[in-house]
Amino acid sequence: MEEYDSEAIQAQAPILKCVAGIAHNMALKCAIDLRLADILHSHENPITIFELASSINSSTPPNVSSLKRVMRLLVRDKIFSAHEPSDGGETLYGATKTSSWLLDSETSLSIIISLSSEPTLLNPWCNMSRCVKEGGTGFEKFHGCQVYEFASQNHEFNKRFNQAMAAESKYLVLSILNKMDDALKNVTSLVDVGGNTGDVITSIVKKHPHITGINFDLPHVLSTAPEIHGVTHVGGNMFEAIPEADAIFMKYILHNWNDEACSKILKNCKKAIPKEGGKIIIVDIVLNPEGTSEFDEAGIFFDLNMLVTIDGVERTEPEWKRLLEDGGFPRYRIINVNPRVSLIEAYPE
């Protein structure tokens, strides 16, 4: 039998890290299901595993041993903290800045994590090799239709999907607004393409009341949209036509589509804005594959998520440049909004 030295065994580490990915994902979902962040944030000081277990809403007494094992991984992932008392007593578990993003609130990441961890969106990942061999999405191969068609036919999924998108918009909106003042200076009308139920365009109009807002999305998406002062909801298809305005805003839209589809969207945008003074404002990820931050790594994950779920793509700056030029927007500038996303302001010829 062949012997392996320590260097050879160490080479397994990157593979084992990948294998363990599902455990990190599911431990996070477990924390959300059990509302562990809400429990720990409700205490001024760290608490024992027994106190944590007793606070879980359950019809039967929670299994403390299982909870402890889950917490061990969540602490290692820096979601929660663990403190070992100097007197040798029980480990004390506490909240962190990171765990505040899991609280039950409008800006929480919890609904996004829960939705992405459900079988509806998890199972398609098993078809990634078929995506490579055949093209198309893992979602369509598993469910028999694309995700947007699935959402239009499944009310509960559509509701949760919209809630997840709205939650992400709410925590991004302040960062976005603070970077958009200059871009919106001479804009009197703005279309939010794929604006969901209108949260972002509402915030823009509130801060810039001189702007008339148009929230543009598919009719089934707008079916749950509330009436909003200063904003008109318009149902339609961005591949057919986009309402006319001084400027067009798109947050997390173009990454949902391949280059051919994006070119059609951009050309429709160009038709909808003035030749002089018109612009598009894109909020999206600009990939940095050589970057070393956790956000750079997350961006690569999001790119694969697009591949499996929607047939979309996250793009590097050179890829954005080519896409914009092909769509009729040869001039652009990129502004960093936060470590996750950038604002791309592009202008027609």
Side-chain angles (χ1 to χ4, degrees):
M1 181 179 293
E2 185 178 358
E3 293 186 7
Y4 297 95
D5 59 23
S6 59
E7 184 177 351
I9 298 299
Q10 183 62 35
Q12 295 179 359
I15 297 172
L16 295 178
K17 180 182 178 182
C18 292
V19 171
I22 187 67
H24 296 271
N25 185 310
M26 289 301 143
L28 199 57
K29 182 180 183 301
C30 177
I32 293 167
D33 292 343
L34 300 178
R35 298 174 63 92
L36 299 183
D38 292 278
I39 294 170
L40 291 173
H41 278 268
S42 70
H43 288 78
E44 292 186 7
N45 299 305
I47 59 177
T48 68
I49 197 71
F50 298 100
E51 292 172 311
L52 180 58
S54 67
S55 299
I56 293 174
N57 184 15
S58 175
S59 58
T60 58
N63 187 300
V64 175
S65 176
S66 297
L67 177 61
K68 188 172 184 178
R69 292 160 71 182
V70 172
M71 288 298 293
R72 181 162 54 201
L73 181 56
L74 292 170
V75 168
R76 188 175 182 85
D77 284 343
K78 300 180 181 178
I79 306 299
F80 300 118
S81 64
H83 311 272
E84 303 295 339
S86 56
D87 61 5
E90 289 285 337
T91 301
L92 299 175
Y93 296 93
T96 65
K97 286 185 177 179
T98 298
S99 64
S100 67
W101 286 100
L102 303 181
L103 293 172
D104 185 13
S105 70
E106 289 188 340
T107 57
S108 174
L109 292 177
S110 60
I111 188 169
I112 299 169
I113 296 165
S114 294
L115 183 66
S116 64
S117 302
E118 290 180 359
T120 300
L121 292 179
L122 267 185
N123 287 329
W125 283 85
C126 298
N127 287 307
M128 189 184 292
S129 60
R130 290 185 61 193
C131 296
V132 173
K133 290 179 180 179
E134 306 163 8
T137 69
F139 192 95
E140 183 180 22
K141 296 179 192 306
F142 187 86
H143 293 287
C145 63
Q146 294 290 9
V147 66
Y148 294 115
E149 182 182 352
F150 185 89
S152 69
Q153 298 170 355
N154 293 268
H155 175 74
E156 186 58 31
F157 178 81
N158 182 54
K159 179 181 176 182
R160 287 174 56 74
F161 188 84
N162 287 343
Q163 287 174 338
M165 296 305 99
E168 189 161 28
S169 291
K170 284 174 181 174
Y171 82 76
L172 279 176
V173 70
L174 288 177
S175 297
I176 295 169
L177 286 176
N178 290 335
K179 298 289 184 178
M180 286 181 62
D181 288 348
D182 185 57
L184 296 175
K185 191 177 297 181
N186 298 314
V187 172
T188 60
S189 57
L190 179 71
V191 178
D192 185 356
V193 174
N196 201 272
T197 53
D199 288 337
V200 174
I201 192 69
T202 300
S203 298
I204 292 173
V205 169
K206 282 183 178 178
K207 186 173 183 182
H208 302 274
H210 67 281
I211 293 177
T212 298
I214 300 172
N215 185 48
F216 181 65
D217 215 315
L218 296 168
H220 78 268
V221 174
L222 297 179
S223 65
T224 59
E227 290 189 14
I228 303 168
H229 178 70
V231 175
T232 301
H233 296 296
V234 177
N237 189 324
M238 61 188 172
F239 291 105
E240 297 173 0
I242 292 171
E244 293 184 355
D246 292 342
I248 290 171
F249 177 81
M250 292 182 285
K251 181 186 71 65
Y252 285 171
I253 299 300
L254 296 182
H255 77 160
N256 289 335
W257 304 95
N258 59 35
D259 287 358
E260 182 181 359
C262 284
S263 181
K264 292 179 181 178
I265 297 169
L266 289 169
K267 287 173 182 177
N268 282 338
C269 287
K270 188 177 180 181
K271 293 176 184 176
I273 60 175
K275 291 183 179 179
E276 293 187 10
K279 67 179 71 174
I280 59 173
I281 303 167
I282 301 165
V283 175
D284 227 317
I285 291 173
V286 178
L287 277 185
N288 181 14
E290 306 304 320
T292 58
S293 79
E294 291 176 325
F295 289 102
D296 293 323
E297 183 174 349
I300 295 171
F301 158 75
F302 292 137
D303 181 44
L304 287 180
N305 188 48
M306 294 295 103
L307 169 69
V308 169
T309 308
I310 305 181
D311 195 25
V313 57
E314 306 292 0
R315 297 173 172 91
T316 62
E317 182 173 350
E319 289 169 337
W320 275 112
K321 183 176 185 294
R322 287 195 297 271
L323 183 69
L324 291 168
E325 287 177 346
D326 185 60
F329 293 88
R331 297 187 297 118
Y332 73 94
R333 63 171 182 154
I334 295 177
I335 303 167
N336 291 327
V337 174
N338 59 41
R340 276 194 61 183
V341 300
S342 296
L343 188 152
I344 304 171
E345 192 174 345
Y347 318 92
E349 295 174 321

